[in-house]
Amino acid sequence: QAQLVESGGGLVQPGGSLRLSCGALARSFIPTIGHMGWFRQAPGKEREFVATISWTSGNTNYTDSVKDRFTISRDNGKTYLQMNNLKPEDTAAYYCAVRPRWGQDYIYWGQGTQVTVSS
């Protein structure tokens, strides 16, 4: 059922960087995108919004805890999350999601990629 595939997770020390990527499985899916975003979920915690980008305007939005450290971008049907100065509290499974144009919710999700920040 997953229409999106994430990659780029891994183990990194505090202060390190990772770049997550997310792409649609089919090119025909791309014109339907309104927003692509990243969410994360740590063990024992609820899913948390991280960042989103409008596919048409390029406008971005971030949760406060990642502002000035993470950057979301888009290019050629893919979205990227550049994560710098990573902190242990960033440890989570990161999920890419899509909100369709004229839609209200993020309804398409990838399988997730694990990010672990530890010394």
Side-chain angles (χ1 to χ4, degrees), residues 4 9 13 23 37 43 79-80 90 117:
L4 307 166
Q13 293 185 342
T79 188
Y80 304 91
D90 296 317
V117 185

Side-chain angles (χ1 to χ4, degrees), residues 74-94:
R74 56 163 169 78
D75 182 63
N76 195 29
K78 296 182 178 180
T79 188
Y80 304 91
L81 187 67
Q82 179 66 48
M83 305 184 295
N84 297 326
N85 192 24
L86 283 160
K87 302 176 180 180
E89 54 262 41
D90 296 317
T91 296
Y94 283 70

Side-chain angles (χ1 to χ4, degrees), residues 20-117:
L20 306 183
S21 300
C22 173
L25 292 176
R27 288 192 58 85
S28 61
F29 182 78
I30 296 173
T32 73
I33 298 171
H35 293 75
M36 291 189 79
W38 292 93
F39 297 77
R40 65 188 181 187
Q41 187 167 19
K45 296 185 178 180
E46 296 182 348
R47 185 180 65 192
E48 176 189 25
F49 161 77
V50 177
T52 59
I53 185 166
S54 168
W55 215 249
T56 54
S57 71
N59 289 344
T60 60
N61 192 25
Y62 301 89
T63 191
D64 286 344
S65 64
V66 308
K67 288 181 179 178
D68 302 319
R69 298 190 299 119
F70 291 11
T71 303
I72 188 170
S73 61
R74 56 163 169 78
D75 182 63
N76 195 29
K78 296 182 178 180
T79 188
Y80 304 91
L81 187 67
Q82 179 66 48
M83 305 184 295
N84 297 326
N85 192 24
L86 283 160
K87 302 176 180 180
E89 54 262 41
D90 296 317
T91 296
Y94 283 70
Y95 298 89
C96 177
V98 165
R99 172 186 165 188
R101 293 184 178 183
W102 306 289
Q104 298 297 316
D105 301 316
Y106 288 87
I107 62 173
Y108 301 104
W109 296 83
Q111 295 295 316
T113 185
Q114 179 67 38
V115 172
T116 302
V117 185

